[in-house]
Amino acid sequence: MVKRKIRAEGIRFGTELRRIRLNAGLTQGQLARAVNVSTSLVSCFERGTHWPRRDVVEALDRTTRASGQLVRLWVELSNRQAYPDWLGELVEAEPQATLIRDYAPLAVPGLLQTEEYARTVIEAANSLATPRQIDELVAGRMRRQRIWEAAEPPVMMTVIAESVLTSPIGGPVVMNSQLDHLISQVEKHRIRLQVVPADTRLHPGLAGMFILLSIRDRADVLYVESAVSGTMIHEPAQVQRMSMLFGDLQAVALSPERSLSRLNEIRRQFRGTPEAVA
C-alpha cells in the first residue's frame, strides 16, 4: 500500500516556501493569484498538508525569484517520497554496504528488477494508487540500483525461490527481459545467484524474505519485510540467526553454476510461448 512521506517532507518544503515568500514581500493571496491557485492551497503548501505539482513549484519559484531553490528542494524531497516510509532505512543503508545477502521467496530482489518487472509488481501491490504514484515508486526503485554504478559496488549474494523465476509476472515478454537481466548480472560476476528448487522438501526459508547487510566498521544488520511494513534489526542474536539461515538456504539451493543453467532453461521456456514469439 502506498504511504507517502508527506508530513516530514511537506513541512520542510512549506517552511522554506513561507520563508522565501516573506523575503519576496508577498502575501499568500498575492502569491496565489500570481501562480493561478487558491490562497487556501498556498496555505496548505506552507503548512505541509498538500504536496504541490512540479509545474506549480516552478511557478512559485519564478514568482518569488527563488533562483531555482524551491525547485531543487522539491526534487530532493520528492525523491525521498518515492519510497514507502518503512523502506527509508534500507535505502540509506544499501549504498554503504560491502556485502548484501538477499533471500527472495516471492519476487526478484528490487536491486535486480527491470523497470517493466518492477512496475508490474508495484501495480499489483498498490491497486488503489494513481498512475503518478506508481511512476514515483517505480522511479524510486530504479534509483536504488544506482549503487551498481559506484566505483566499488557491494558484493551481492542472492538466493531465489524457483517459483519466483517460473511465475509469469507481467507475462512472457516481461519475464524474458527480467531473466536476461539476471543472467547478464551473473555472467558479469556482479552477483552470485542460487536457485532453491521448487521440489525442495526441507525448505529453511518458509518464514519470508530478508536481507542481511554488511557495512564496513559496523555490525551486520538485518532487514525483514511484510506486505505492509519493513523493519531494520540490529539485535546481534537475531542477525546471527538469520545469517545462519541464509547459509542453510545456500546449502539446499543449486550451486551457482547449476543455478545459471536453470535460469537459461526457464528463459527458453518463456521464449517459447506464443506471446514472447509474437
Side-chain angles (χ1 to χ4, degrees):
M1 182 177 183
V2 173
K3 183 177 182 183
R4 293 174 63 81
K5 296 167 69 175
I6 201 70
R7 289 183 296 276
E9 277 71 24
I11 289 172
R12 181 177 168 188
F13 180 85
T15 299
E16 186 64 8
L17 172 60
R18 183 176 186 276
R19 183 190 70 79
I20 289 174
R21 173 180 62 79
L22 292 174
N23 284 346
L26 297 171
T27 66
Q28 288 184 344
Q30 289 170 330
L31 180 57
R33 286 190 293 275
V35 300
N36 198 30
V37 299
S38 67
T39 302
S40 62
L41 187 56
V42 171
S43 177
C44 288
F45 292 158
E46 292 190 356
R47 295 200 311 273
T49 59
H50 285 62
W51 188 250
R53 301 191 312 269
R54 181 174 183 128
D55 59 328
V56 174
V57 175
E58 290 172 348
L60 291 169
D61 194 280
R62 287 193 302 270
T63 303
T64 58
R65 299 178 182 176
S67 302
Q69 185 174 346
L70 281 174
V71 174
R72 288 191 295 273
L73 179 61
W74 182 89
V75 169
E76 174 192 341
L77 299 178
S78 292
N79 286 344
R80 295 184 185 181
Q81 292 192 51
Y83 309 106
D85 287 353
W86 41 263
L87 194 62
E89 193 172 0
L90 174 65
V91 172
E92 292 178 3
E94 284 172 337
Q96 304 175 53
T98 57
L99 172 64
I100 298 174
R101 289 172 287 169
D102 188 309
Y103 171 55
L106 298 175
V108 171
L111 289 175
L112 301 175
Q113 292 178 4
T114 64
E115 184 170 346
E116 296 80 6
Y117 184 96
R119 183 173 298 278
T120 301
V121 172
I122 288 170
E123 286 179 342
N126 298 281
S127 59
L128 299 180
T130 66
R132 179 168 184 156
Q133 288 173 323
I134 295 296
D135 287 345
E136 289 175 350
L137 290 170
V138 172
R141 186 159 300 182
M142 293 299 100
R143 278 195 294 274
R144 284 175 60 195
Q145 297 184 12
R146 291 178 182 171
I147 65 171
W148 304 123
E149 301 171 8
E152 295 184 16
V155 173
M156 184 171 186
M157 303 170 67
T158 181
V159 176
I160 301 181
E162 187 175 35
S163 59
V164 170
L165 305 170
T166 57
S167 297
I169 303 298
V173 174
V174 170
M175 281 305 302
N176 183 63
S177 176
Q178 178 62 70
L179 289 163
D180 279 346
H181 181 61
L182 288 176
I183 291 169
S184 173
Q185 295 295 88
V186 171
E187 291 180 337
K188 292 176 180 176
H189 303 289
R190 291 182 176 174
I191 63 171
R192 178 188 175 100
L193 185 149
Q194 291 180 259
V195 177
V196 179
D199 60 359
T200 300
R201 293 187 177 184
L202 297 176
H203 197 311
L206 300 179
M209 71 81 67
F210 63 91
I211 301 172
L212 291 156
L213 298 104
S214 300
I215 300 173
R216 187 175 287 107
D217 300 325
R218 288 172 51 184
D220 289 358
V221 293
L222 165 70
Y223 177 81
V224 296
E225 185 176 293
S226 69
V228 295
S229 66
T231 304
M232 192 74 82
I233 298 171
H234 301 265
E235 172 59 40
Q238 295 189 53
V239 174
Q240 183 179 19
R241 172 174 170 267
M242 299 308 284
S243 180
M244 292 176 63
L245 181 60
F246 191 85
D248 292 340
L249 283 162
Q250 290 179 301
V252 300
L254 301 176
S255 68
E257 293 77 15
R258 290 182 62 195
S259 294
L260 179 58
S261 295
R262 183 62 183 132
L263 284 174
N264 279 289
E265 290 173 2
I266 297 170
R267 180 174 61 176
R268 284 194 293 270
Q269 292 169 8
F270 277 113
R271 284 183 173 175
T273 62
E275 184 180 334
V277 172

